[in-house]
Structures are given as C-alpha cells and as structure tokens.
Amino acid sequence: MAKLIQAPSVFTHPEWTLNNHLEYDSAEKQRASAERLIAESDRLIDETDKTTKKTQRDVNKKFDQRIDNVTFWKDELDRKLDDSKQEIDMLLAYKTRLESAFEACKEPLAIVTQCLANRESRVAIDLVHDDVQKNLIKEREVIQGVMALLQRTLEQTTEQIRVMRSKKYYLEKDLKDKFQALSIDGDCRELRDDHSGLRSAPGSAKIEANSVTPESWQHFSDENITKAEKQRKCAVDLRSIIDSILTTTANDMQQQVDDTNLAFNKRIEETATAKSKLEAHLGRVGHVCSTVPVSGLMC
C-alpha cells in the first residue's frame, strides 16, 4: 500500500519574520561574544607581553648582578692563584738552597772527622786532650747539629710545598667552575624570544637536590681563598725562618772553624817552641857528651 505524501509545513509570514529575527539575534550575540573574546585575547596578549618583558628585564638584571658577582670571585681566585704559584716557586728555590747547604756540610764534616782520626795517631805524652781536640769535637758537633736542623727544615719546607700545591689545586678547580658559570650565564643573558631553536625543557625550573644557596656558594670560594692565603703567609714566614737559619748556621760554623784554627795555630806554636827547646837542649847534651873522656861516664 503506497505511503501518503505529507505536504511540507507551511509557515505564516509572521512566523517567517520572527524566525529571521531570532536567527539574526543569535548571530549578533555570537558576533558580540566573538568580539569580546578577541578583545579579551588581545588584552591578555598585551598583558602577557608586558609581564614577560618585565620578567625578562628583572631576570636580565639578576643575570647582570650574578655575572658581576661571579666575575668578582673569579678575579679574587685568579689573584690568589697567582700569589700561590709565585710562593710555591720561591719555596722550591729555598728548598734548593737548603739542599745545597746540607750537601755543603758533608765535606767539612769529613775533614774534621779525618782530623780527629789523624790526631789519634799521636804517641806517648803528645796524645793529649788539648784545646785543638776540644774545638775539633765541638766543630763536629756544630756541623752535625747544623745538618740535623737543615734536614728538619728541609722536611718542613717539602711539606709546606705539598700543602701549597693542594690549596692551589682547589683554587684552580674553583676558578675553572667560575669560568664555566660565567660562560653559561653569559649565553643565557644574551638569549631573546626571537632566537631560533628555543624550546621548553621539562623540569628546567626544578631546583636540584644538590643545589646550594648563594651564601653557601660564596662561603665556598671565600674559604678556598682564606685557606690559600693562610698557607701563603705560613710559607712567607717559613722563608724568613730559612733565611735566618742559613745565616745563623753559616756564622756558627765559620766561628767554630775560626776557633779551631786559632787553637791549631796556638798548639802548633806551642809544639814548635817545645821542639826548639828540646832540640837546643839535645844539642847541649850532645856537646857535653862529646867533651867527656872516653874513660868517663857514658852519655
């Protein structure tokens, strides 16, 4: 059975007019809403741009402050590193002086030891513990004491050089970190919105667990500088002591050598006088013996 075809709905003219008004009002509302949305978007864009630029200015200012701060400590570390290097070089030179002074004591010690051994060959009454013997023994003791003092000072100097090199290592490491920090912050300071290849890195704004506070960061470098300066002053004091030791020991040894030589000269003069007297007396005795008749007493 065929379906009945229904006739399309027929609207009256007032209905058509009303519908047109309704569609117009709806479109107008949508347009107005879109315009408000566009205006709000423009406002947000403008506000975001201003906020972003202000934030960038603030961040750039902080970058400048940070770069100035890092540069200051880098320069301080650099100066202290130069001071430490110079002091280490001077200590090495002083160490060489101590080694030379120690080696220079060996020959005088061998000579005075040989002198004492040779004097043991004296015979009979001439094997006397005289002023020469006393001064030779004292000279040997002085030389041995000087060598022991030089050896201790040499060991102290070697240890001070080791400590200075340790502080130098930490200064160099800290200075290297400062150079790296300056390079990174300098590159970041120059970044702009229109730079190509910029992208957001996940977790870039997260504070790492091993991060330190600015105060701790400053204290770390300050402590490195303070420790290095303390050891540098110790090295300066040690060099002053070495100068005094080298001068004093050289004077002491020379004074003892002079005393020994004076005793030698006096003893040689005494021995020569005694020898002359003995020779003269021997001559007189021989003359007396030669004048005595053969049948007389035997000389």
Side-chain angles (χ1 to χ4, degrees):
M1 183 176 177
K3 291 184 179 180
L4 295 176
I5 299 176
Q6 296 180 352
S9 300
V10 177
F11 300 95
T12 63
H13 186 272
E15 289 177 335
W16 174 82
T17 302
L18 177 61
N19 183 71
N20 285 339
H21 282 296
L22 291 175
E23 293 291 339
Y24 174 79
D25 289 342
S26 177
E28 181 63 19
K29 289 179 181 179
Q30 293 296 326
R31 184 193 63 77
S33 177
E35 288 180 349
R36 288 193 300 272
L37 182 59
I38 292 173
E40 180 65 15
S41 298
D42 291 339
R43 186 189 67 79
L44 289 174
I45 290 172
D46 184 63
E47 182 180 334
T48 302
D49 183 62
K50 290 179 180 179
T51 302
T52 300
K53 289 180 178 179
K54 181 179 182 302
T55 302
Q56 287 178 337
R57 287 193 300 270
D58 292 342
V59 171
N60 286 339
K61 183 178 179 180
K62 285 181 170 50
F63 263 125
D64 291 337
Q65 293 173 347
R66 180 62 177 171
I67 290 173
D68 289 342
N69 199 11
V70 175
T71 300
F72 169 79
W73 285 106
K74 180 188 72 67
D75 293 341
E76 290 295 309
L77 288 166
D78 203 19
R79 279 192 291 269
K80 194 53 58 184
L81 180 60
D82 287 341
D83 291 344
S84 297
K85 287 179 178 178
Q86 292 175 10
E87 192 59 44
I88 289 173
D89 290 340
M90 286 188 283
L91 271 183
L92 288 171
Y94 270 70
K95 180 183 177 183
T96 300
R97 289 177 59 190
L98 286 170
E99 291 170 341
S100 298
F102 184 85
E103 290 298 319
C105 291
K106 292 182 178 180
E107 185 176 357
L109 180 60
I111 291 174
V112 72
T113 302
Q114 187 62 47
C115 284
L116 287 169
N118 290 342
R119 298 193 90 235
E120 292 297 323
S121 299
R122 293 173 296 167
V123 295
I125 194 62
D126 286 321
L127 187 60
V128 59
H129 190 72
D130 52 13
D131 288 342
V132 174
Q133 193 76 4
K134 294 176 182 177
N135 277 282
L136 282 172
I137 293 174
K138 185 176 179 181
E139 184 176 341
R140 181 177 62 183
E141 292 173 350
V142 169
I143 295 174
Q144 290 174 338
V146 167
M147 293 182 72
L149 178 58
L150 291 176
Q151 182 62 38
R152 290 195 302 271
T153 308
L154 186 59
E155 292 172 357
Q156 186 178 356
T157 303
T158 301
E159 175 62 17
Q160 185 62 38
I161 291 173
R162 185 196 67 78
V163 174
M164 289 287 294
R165 282 174 171 167
S166 174
K167 302 309 174 188
K168 171 177 166 286
Y169 166 79
Y170 287 109
L171 287 174
E172 289 174 334
K173 186 176 183 301
D174 197 357
L175 188 61
K176 180 181 178 182
D177 293 341
K178 294 295 182 290
F179 272 112
Q180 185 177 8
L182 273 180
S183 176
I184 293 173
D185 286 345
D187 290 342
C188 292
R189 174 66 176 82
E190 298 303 318
L191 288 177
R192 295 294 182 270
D193 296 339
D194 56 353
H195 282 189
S196 60
L198 290 180
R199 60 184 180 83
S200 176
S204 59
K206 182 177 66 174
I207 298 178
E208 298 294 338
N210 59 348
S211 297
V212 297
T213 63
E215 291 76 16
S216 298
W217 171 84
Q218 181 172 317
H219 176 72
F220 179 81
S221 294
D222 184 57
E223 189 174 16
N224 281 336
I225 292 173
T226 301
K227 288 181 178 179
E229 177 60 18
K230 179 181 178 181
Q231 293 304 321
R232 190 193 68 81
K233 289 181 178 178
C234 289
V236 172
D237 293 340
L238 178 58
R239 287 194 294 109
S240 178
I241 292 173
I242 292 173
D243 281 330
S244 177
I245 288 175
L246 291 176
T247 301
T248 302
T249 53
N251 292 337
D252 290 347
M253 289 177 62
Q254 185 60 52
Q255 181 62 50
Q256 186 55 46
V257 168
D258 293 341
D259 292 345
T260 303
N261 288 338
L262 182 63
F264 259 121
N265 291 333
K266 183 178 178 181
R267 184 60 177 165
I268 290 172
E269 184 179 350
E270 289 175 347
T271 304
T273 300
K275 177 175 175 293
S276 296
K277 290 180 179 180
L278 286 172
E279 287 175 342
H281 187 66
L282 179 62
R284 288 193 296 271
V285 171
H287 175 71
V288 170
C289 289
S290 65
T291 60
V292 175
V294 175
S295 59
L297 297 173
M298 296 297 294
C299 292

